[in-house]
Amino acid sequence: MTSLISNFENSNELRQRARRLIPGGAHTYAKGDDQYPVLSPGFIARGRGAYVFDVDGNKYIEFGMGNRAVSLGHAYPKILRAVERELKNGANFTRPAVIELDCASIFLETIQAAEMVKFCKDGSHATSGAIRLARAVTGRDLVARCADHPFFSTDDWFIGSTPMNAGIPKAVRDMTLSFHYNEIDSAKALFEQHPGKIAAVILEPSKGEAPKDNFLHRLRDLCHAHGALFILDEMITGFRWHLNGAQALYDIQPDLSCFGKAMGNGFAISALAGKREFMELGGIDQREKPRVFLLSTTHGAETHAMAAAIATMKIYREEPVIQHLYEKGEALRKGISQIAASHGISNHFSVFGLASNLVYATFDEDGRPSQALRTLFLQELIKRGVLAPSFVVSYTHGDPEIAKTLDAVDGALCVYRKALENGVSNYLVGRPSDVVFRATNRMTTQPDAVPALVPELSRRVKRREPSLATAGR
């Protein structure tokens, strides 16, 4: 076995600068230091295929792939060539570029339940545009969102419904309601409690579990019976569950749907799509109803992002991308489950979800979810050259990467089992990671203390001196 990764010197120096200049040290909360172990790469220098390289020269097989935005692989040659060709003609103009029409055409050929589409740069704008449109269509204020799906938007209508709701007026927070996936009665109760007031219901088609007892169809019918719009957030499921979206896999036609992430293989592009009768309210031709300020962003139609999306969608249509994601994900699921069983910890560590979008759960000796054990598992994978906040694969994850990953998982779960027996604090360096949505910060390690602390902790852990393994907590 190769030597374990332990050098993060350059990352730690950059961490100090980043936390002083950028709130949280990153522009995406899911990429922040509080989401990863102290012993982890703080900054990535480059990526190629299924691999990334950090600023200290360490090489990792990466899973999660840019928070699921990279479906084909980092710096995928066909995508780069398409982007380079388009960039030579300029990126942004005062009138539409022809490529905007081309991108809309191929998108609507792919997502066949939609009749019109408008592009923007991120999922938050797309879902918030859908909510605004639904409120305009119905003349109602309330929105119901699935409480079992973790993220919909950075805007107040969603963030106000999370524990991290500082700065959002109570009146806004009160306009978002919650129901549970696969529990139709929880949605029925909302419509009964708020008759004629709910504008829309928004949810992911699936977070990994399949809809039961025609849940999606029953929910859509419930919405329509009460005059509300049915919105599917396909930021994650789109281009991973099925070529034509999870809506095609589950044979459900939404009123509106939102796509992004894997659609551009990491380039910033997202989409709000839906039925013409609703979408045209954001246009310039209809005159019967008030205009809706649907989506309008300076960078929403950057030509190089459109080129990336077109190239990505063509690859999905011409090559077995979806099949590959399922096959490699299933190989990971089977292998990891066997390894957990071999260590006798199947009740304390599990991998679940759709094969193309696997995640894992960690449980302590009493069977309770454990953030500390999750952090330890991440720490031990990173030491072994695998960066895996999830086990979401890409088209460039092949058999060698799967084999190397399983070997790293075996080593990590060996330490995990010892932590269950002897206490996680004896093996985890520093504090555990934390959940994103929290009302206050609980990290006790100060930003400036982390870089100075890591080298000493790393040396102590190598010598198995557990008394100092919690010094950063």
Side-chain angles (χ1 to χ4, degrees):
M1 179 179 175
T2 58
S3 59
L4 299 180
I5 293 173
S6 60
N7 176 31
F8 304 105
E9 183 178 352
N10 292 331
S11 272
N12 293 330
E13 290 180 2
L14 291 173
R15 278 188 173 104
Q16 285 184 294
R17 290 176 54 196
R19 299 271 280 273
R20 291 192 183 108
L21 300 176
I22 304 167
H27 296 290
T28 306
Y29 278 115
K31 298 180 183 181
D33 280 341
D34 60 338
Q35 301 300 294
Y36 287 86
V38 169
L39 294 181
S40 66
F43 292 83
I44 302 300
R46 61 189 176 92
R48 177 69 65 176
Y51 294 86
V52 294
F53 302 80
D54 69 15
V55 292
D56 289 284
N58 301 313
K59 178 181 179 181
Y60 308 89
I61 301 172
E62 191 199 26
F63 294 92
M65 302 305 290
N67 295 339
R68 299 172 176 82
V70 179
S71 55
L72 302 176
H74 296 295
Y76 199 75
K78 288 183 179 179
I79 306 301
L80 291 186
R81 287 196 291 270
V83 169
E84 289 168 353
R85 284 194 300 269
E86 196 61 40
L87 274 176
K88 292 177 181 178
N89 298 321
N92 212 332
F93 312 108
T94 56
R95 295 303 310 278
V98 175
I99 197 171
E100 298 179 42
L101 182 58
D102 296 338
C103 192
S105 296
I106 191 171
F107 177 88
L108 292 173
E109 289 172 6
T110 305
I111 309 303
Q112 298 167 357
E115 296 172 319
M116 299 186 81
V117 61
K118 196 154 189 180
F119 296 114
C120 48
K121 302 307 288 183
D122 57 51
S124 292
H125 277 91
T127 55
S128 293
I131 295 302
R132 184 183 306 115
L133 184 55
R135 284 171 166 162
V137 168
T138 63
R140 303 171 180 179
D141 294 335
L142 302 185
V143 174
R145 64 97 168 178
C146 184
D148 305 303
H149 298 162
F151 187 80
F152 289 100
S153 176
T154 60
D155 286 348
D156 288 0
W157 70 267
F158 169 69
I159 296 298
S161 68
T162 76
M164 201 172 172
N165 57 21
I168 300 173
K170 184 178 185 301
V172 175
R173 301 200 301 265
D174 291 344
M175 285 191 288
T176 299
L177 314 171
S178 297
F179 65 96
H180 291 286
Y181 192 79
N182 274 334
E183 295 182 17
I184 194 66
D185 287 343
S186 68
K188 284 181 179 178
L190 293 182
F191 282 105
E192 291 171 357
Q193 294 164 11
H194 306 277
K197 295 182 179 180
I198 298 177
V201 164
I202 185 169
L203 74 162
E204 296 180 56
S206 166
K207 192 171 176 288
E209 71 279 42
K212 299 176 182 177
D213 301 323
N214 284 323
F215 173 73
L216 293 178
H217 295 78
R218 294 169 69 193
L219 183 59
R220 181 196 59 189
D221 293 346
L222 179 67
C223 289
H224 291 173
H226 289 272
L229 268 60
F230 178 69
I231 305 171
L232 289 181
D233 178 349
E234 291 228 43
M235 289 299 152
I236 292 175
T237 59
F239 304 100
R240 279 197 176 275
W241 264 237
H242 189 282
L243 169 63
N244 309 115
Q247 55 193 264
L249 179 64
Y250 299 131
D251 192 25
I252 179 75
Q253 290 194 0
D255 297 312
L256 302 170
S257 55
C258 305
F259 291 81
K261 290 191 182 289
M263 186 169 73
N265 197 51
F267 284 87
I269 186 168
S270 59
L272 168 57
K275 296 180 179 179
R276 184 178 306 277
E277 63 180 293
F278 306 129
M279 294 290 292
E280 67 180 2
L281 297 184
I284 60 175
D285 294 321
Q286 72 85 22
R287 294 172 175 79
E288 297 178 358
K289 298 179 181 179
R291 293 184 66 196
V292 177
F293 195 90
L294 189 54
L295 287 170
S296 182
T297 58
T298 298
H299 302 289
E302 286 176 324
T303 56
H304 62 283
M306 297 276 180
I310 291 172
T312 299
M313 287 186 279
K314 284 183 176 178
I315 291 170
Y316 265 83
R317 292 166 66 163
E318 296 168 359
E319 300 183 32
V321 178
I322 297 288
Q323 178 183 344
H324 182 92
L325 300 184
Y326 276 97
E327 287 178 354
K328 300 312 170 190
E330 195 55 46
L332 265 180
R333 184 208 306 275
K334 182 179 179 181
I336 294 172
S337 297
Q338 289 175 343
I339 291 169
S342 72
H343 288 289
I345 58 172
S346 295
N347 292 332
H348 301 280
F349 182 90
S350 63
V351 61
F352 60 96
L354 211 66
S356 61
N357 192 68
L358 291 176
V359 294
Y360 54 85
T362 55
F363 304 94
D364 66 16
E365 60 277 10
D366 297 318
R368 296 171 300 193
S370 172
Q371 198 69 22
L373 283 168
R374 173 183 170 80
T375 313
L376 175 66
F377 181 65
L378 257 174
Q379 170 187 287
E380 296 303 312
L381 284 182
I382 287 168
K383 285 182 182 179
R384 293 162 174 81
V386 174
L387 183 59
S390 66
F391 284 113
V392 176
V393 297
S394 77
Y395 195 35
T396 47
H397 284 86
D399 292 337
E401 287 74 33
I402 300 302
K404 291 176 184 177
T405 299
L406 292 177
D407 184 60
V409 168
D410 188 32
L413 289 184
C414 180
V415 177
Y416 192 103
R417 177 180 55 78
K418 293 177 181 178
L420 286 169
E421 296 170 351
N422 305 320
V424 67
S425 62
N426 289 325
Y427 302 91
L428 176 63
V429 176
R431 46 70 187 159
S433 60
D434 211 336
V435 296
V436 169
F437 291 122
R438 57 184 190 271
T440 58
N441 291 322
R442 293 185 287 270
M443 289 177 60
T444 56
T445 302
Q446 297 300 312
D448 292 350
V450 173
L453 180 67
V454 169
E456 177 61 18
L457 283 174
S458 182
R459 288 192 292 271
R460 301 274 182 168
V461 169
K462 284 181 182 178
R463 296 198 300 264
R464 288 295 182 226
E465 295 183 25
S467 61
L468 286 185
T470 57
R473 290 171 68 103

